[in-house]
């Protein structure tokens, strides 16, 4: 069962950019390794939902980090390289379109986050998760932060890794199924994507058949 230990900040209390204050408080309280986790790809009609977990070094924080949705593609790629170079530990994992259809997108997203945390090469002492829910089965205590990718540097770093890795996965899908335009729409319901579904039908194991309008095909 999913936990809901979270808070709900007022919008005017959000920092202009994510910072390391939540992590600093946990580290001061004895948590040596604090991981942030986030996902990318909850809304598309095709492809997996991808999550990442990142443990940053307090004495070597990456520059240019923000919520991945607020960065350009070039900005995300630059920030991704910065995170890869400076983080103490990074992992990513996914939940497939088939799992999304069976579990629903929320549970599949939380499962991907749990998998990413479990794959870290350093065992975290605490996890900060974006959203309202704590991923199930974490190996340590965790806390959910609403709009965490705009508040926590570790969560924002995870959001960047998850987004970049998912985009790369969809580029691979584009090479196999170019008619659907996955390289440009990343599986979202663009006009060209919808036209391809109408003309060719959805793709088994890649499209989310529980999502409208795919499920009506």
């Amino acid at each position: 069962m999913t936990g809901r230990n979270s808070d709900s900040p007022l919008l005017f209390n959000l920092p202009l950019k994510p910072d390391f204050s939540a992590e600093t408080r946990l580290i001061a309280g004895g948590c040596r390794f604090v991981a942030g986790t986030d996902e990318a790809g909850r809304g598309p009609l095709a492809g997996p939902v991808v999550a990442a977990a990142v443990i940053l070094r307090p004495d070597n924080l990456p520059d240019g980090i923000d919520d991945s949705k607020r960065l350009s593609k070039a900005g995300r790629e630059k920030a991704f390289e910065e995170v890869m170079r400076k983080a103490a530990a990074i992992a990513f994992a996914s939940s497939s379109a088939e799992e999304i259809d069976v579990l629903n997108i929320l549970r599949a997203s939380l499962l991907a986050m749990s998998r990413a945390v479990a794959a870290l090469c350093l065992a975290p002492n605490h996890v900060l998760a974006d959203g309202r829910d704590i991923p199930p089965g974490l190996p340590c205590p965790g806390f959910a932060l609403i709009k965490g990718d705009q508040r926590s540097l570790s969560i924002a770093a995870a959001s960047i890794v998850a987004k970049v890795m998912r985009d790369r996965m969809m580029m691979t899908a584009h090479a196999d199924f170019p008619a659907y335009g996955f390289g440009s729409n990343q599986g979202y319901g663009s006009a060209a994507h919808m036209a391809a579904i109408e003309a060719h039908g959805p793709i088994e194991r890649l499209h989310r058949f529980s999502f409208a309008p795919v499920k009506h095909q």
Side-chain angles (χ1 to χ4, degrees):
M1 185 175 178
T2 302
R4 280 185 172 267
N5 183 12
S6 66
D7 62 358
S8 181
L10 297 175
L11 291 179
F12 52 77
N13 287 333
L14 290 174
L16 293 177
K17 284 191 175 182
D19 59 35
F20 204 64
S21 58
E23 294 89 334
T24 298
R25 288 192 295 271
L26 289 165
I27 292 169
C31 295
R32 182 181 180 189
F33 298 125
V34 178
T37 186
D38 198 3
E39 50 71 30
R42 287 184 63 161
L45 304 179
V49 59
V50 176
V54 175
I55 298 175
L56 296 177
R57 303 178 191 272
D59 59 349
N60 195 21
L61 295 174
D63 298 319
I65 304 304
D66 201 349
D67 172 7
S68 64
K69 296 183 292 296
R70 300 200 298 202
L71 295 173
S72 66
K73 182 178 180 180
R76 280 195 302 271
E77 290 287 346
K78 183 177 180 180
F80 175 83
E81 295 300 330
E82 181 80 353
V83 172
M84 296 299 288
R85 187 165 60 89
K86 291 186 176 181
I90 301 168
F92 75 95
S94 65
S95 186
S96 68
E98 291 174 306
E99 286 183 314
I100 292 168
D101 289 339
V102 171
L103 298 175
N104 76 41
I105 186 59
L106 173 59
R107 290 180 180 177
S109 298
L110 294 172
L111 177 60
M113 293 164 77
S114 296
R115 288 171 172 166
V117 171
L120 287 166
C121 64
L122 296 174
N125 304 112
H126 200 96
V127 172
L128 299 173
D130 182 56
R132 296 178 179 273
D133 301 296
I134 302 171
L138 292 178
C140 62
F143 197 81
L145 285 174
I146 296 171
K147 296 189 179 295
D149 46 11
Q150 297 179 31
R151 302 168 64 192
S152 158
L153 205 61
S154 299
I155 294 176
S159 78
I160 290 165
V161 173
K163 172 62 175 170
V164 170
M165 295 308 298
R166 187 181 189 279
D167 285 355
R168 293 179 181 182
M169 290 180 181
M170 297 310 294
M171 284 299 298
T172 300
H174 176 75
D176 292 331
F177 305 100
Y180 294 82
F182 294 137
S184 57
N185 62 47
Q186 290 81 47
Y188 285 88
S190 68
H193 186 186
M194 298 306 301
I197 293 174
E198 183 70 24
H200 307 291
I203 304 166
E204 292 285 344
R205 302 179 65 186
L206 186 57
H207 277 99
R208 302 173 182 180
F209 286 81
S210 58
F211 278 38
V214 176
K215 64 183 177 182
H216 299 307
Q217 296 297 313

